[in-house]
Amino acid sequence: MSMDNRGGFSYMGRNFSDLSVNDDSSAFSDCNSDRSGEFPTASSESRRLLLSCTSDNSDDLIGHLVAHLDSSFSIDEQKQAAMEIRLLSKNKPENRIKIAKAGAIKPLISLISSSDLQLQEYGVTAVLNLSLCDENKELIASSGAIKPLVRALKMGTPTAKENAACALLRLSQLDDNKVAIGRSGAIPHLVNLLETGGFRAKKDASTALYSLCSAKENKIRAVESGIMKPLVELMADFGSNMVDKSAFVMSLLMSVPESKPALVEEGGVPVLVEIVEAGTQRQREMAVSILLHLCEESVVYRTMVAREGAIPPLVALSQAGTSRAKQKAEALIELLRQPRSVSNGGRSSEL
């Protein structure tokens, strides 16, 4: 399994071993537990259960709820039990461990395959909450959660899709799960969520894709699933609040050859040049990094970038950017100012 999240090359005696931006922490944040405002208010019985969970008999309560997840109980009883487990695991790490040890994971995974969409949503969200505990991730994956979560990502309610993306993100933080998630068909559905979902869905999908695409084969899957189209569209919209996230994902994908023609075909070059001219400092640096990857081995792409008017904003960045941005801008300017046809044994450079 090939894992990497950085790309680089040597040019003019300089080694650009890291063409990304160091700190992605403010662009990406881990998916959190479910948002209480999106779910039904707990009934008085629910509040009683939650309060009693802090007492000495909390283990008995959790065992009672786990037992009621079984298919021998009615759909309504399963929903109530799943909702209680969701609420109990929402904010308390100690409850997440207790619930997992009580045997909740396998029956919750069974709920994710339910034809009742609300029950499925409760199951997905409870699994998400449990996955926030590092101790539970391996057990959740080994218990068979990945494929049901991918199905929920494809066919669930909007909330189930978002929370399935978050749960897959959490599981992907174990390297062994990244390829398994990719091979289970998650990537096309995450790309679709990135393209068609609301803001939270786009944010969750981009974060999951960023994590999964540290595996090379998932990068190829993402490009083949058409990820460049939504990435370019989001980067073109400065009001989307998705420019940074999309640029980080795109930068990660540029290490596979398939990404470059896909980026160009979706109109990415003028969008990247505009970001170099008008983006924030970090956005400008990321755009230059992507353009460096695009142009490093292609005279055709260098010509295309130069004709889009990239050199003036690159010169400005080379004079006023951070030291990293200046270095990248200078390297790209040198590439773009090379002769349009480079002889190589009598042959011109090709794509």
Side-chain angles (χ1 to χ4, degrees):
M1 177 172 60
S2 175
M3 294 288 175
D4 69 282
N5 62 1
R6 295 289 183 262
F9 69 100
S10 295
Y11 175 71
M12 297 291 286
R14 284 178 286 178
N15 181 30
F16 293 89
S17 58
D18 182 358
L19 292 181
S20 61
V21 177
N22 280 338
D23 182 16
D24 58 8
S25 58
S26 60
F28 290 104
S29 58
D30 286 343
C31 295
N32 298 316
S33 57
D34 60 69
R35 283 70 160 176
S36 59
E38 297 176 357
F39 304 109
T41 302
S43 64
S44 58
E45 176 68 10
S46 298
R47 289 192 291 271
R48 183 189 67 76
L49 287 170
L50 290 172
L51 288 172
S52 69
C53 193
T54 62
S55 67
D56 292 338
N57 67 346
S58 61
D59 291 343
D60 292 338
L61 171 61
I62 289 172
H64 171 81
L65 293 173
V66 171
H68 279 71
L69 296 173
D70 190 82
S71 59
S72 61
F73 290 89
S74 70
I75 292 287
D76 286 343
E77 288 173 307
Q78 288 178 290
K79 285 181 182 178
Q80 183 69 22
M83 185 179 73
E84 302 295 352
I85 288 173
R86 288 171 48 182
L87 294 172
L88 290 172
S89 59
K90 178 177 171 61
N91 294 315
K92 292 190 174 183
E94 62 272 21
N95 284 346
R96 296 167 189 153
I97 295 173
K98 287 182 180 180
I99 291 166
K101 286 183 176 179
I105 288 174
K106 285 191 175 180
L108 285 171
I109 291 170
S110 295
L111 299 188
I112 299 175
S113 299
S114 173
S115 59
D116 185 292
L117 292 181
Q118 187 179 53
L119 184 58
Q120 179 194 62
E121 180 184 314
Y122 288 178
V124 167
T125 310
V127 168
L128 164 61
N129 289 352
L130 295 180
S131 74
L132 298 175
C133 177
D134 289 340
E135 291 90 332
N136 292 337
K137 291 174 186 174
E138 185 175 352
L139 180 58
I140 291 170
S142 65
S143 298
I146 291 174
K147 288 186 178 180
L149 285 169
V150 172
R151 286 195 294 271
L153 187 62
K154 178 182 179 182
M155 303 177 64
T157 65
T159 297
K161 290 180 179 181
E162 292 166 358
N163 289 341
C166 286
L168 290 169
L169 164 66
R170 301 297 304 193
L171 298 183
S172 75
Q173 291 169 347
L174 297 179
D175 283 344
D176 288 346
N177 291 335
K178 294 182 191 292
V179 170
I181 293 170
R183 292 178 180 177
S184 295
I187 303 290
H189 303 308
L190 287 168
V191 170
N192 182 63
L193 194 62
L194 180 67
E195 184 167 13
T196 64
F199 175 69
R200 181 189 158 193
K202 292 179 189 295
K203 178 180 71 69
D204 293 345
S206 67
T207 307
L209 286 162
Y210 184 75
S211 176
L212 290 169
C213 287
S214 63
K216 181 179 178 181
E217 67 180 74
N218 286 340
K219 296 179 187 183
I220 297 170
R221 288 190 181 97
V223 174
E224 291 177 345
S225 298
I227 193 173
M228 284 301 177
K229 181 176 183 291
L231 289 179
V232 170
E233 289 174 349
L234 290 168
M235 290 170 68
D237 181 2
F238 284 91
S240 69
N241 292 319
M242 287 290 297
V243 176
D244 293 49
K245 294 180 178 65
S246 300
F248 272 116
V249 176
M250 183 180 288
S251 181
L252 195 60
L253 298 173
M254 295 305 292
S255 62
V256 294
E258 295 86 348
S259 66
K260 298 178 182 181
L263 168 62
V264 171
E265 184 177 344
E266 295 299 338
V269 170
V271 170
L272 289 165
V273 171
E274 182 180 6
I275 292 173
V276 174
E277 184 172 6
T280 65
Q281 188 68 243
R282 182 168 70 176
Q283 289 166 1
R284 295 168 76 191
E285 184 179 339
M286 286 190 290
V288 174
S289 294
I290 294 167
L291 290 170
L292 268 170
H293 275 297
L294 182 68
C295 294
E296 59 182 308
E297 296 177 350
S298 172
V299 171
V300 173
Y301 291 156
R302 292 174 200 169
T303 302
M304 189 179 300
V305 171
R307 287 177 177 172
E308 283 293 334
I311 290 179
L314 285 170
V315 170
L317 184 61
S318 72
Q319 296 172 346
T322 64
S323 59
R324 284 168 53 88
K326 288 178 180 179
Q327 185 184 39
K328 294 174 184 179
E330 289 167 359
L332 185 52
I333 290 167
E334 290 174 3
L335 278 175
L336 298 181
R337 285 177 170 169
Q338 286 183 353
R340 294 291 181 260
S341 177
V342 179
S343 178
N344 183 15
R347 294 175 297 175
S348 295
S349 296
E350 302 291 341
L351 287 177

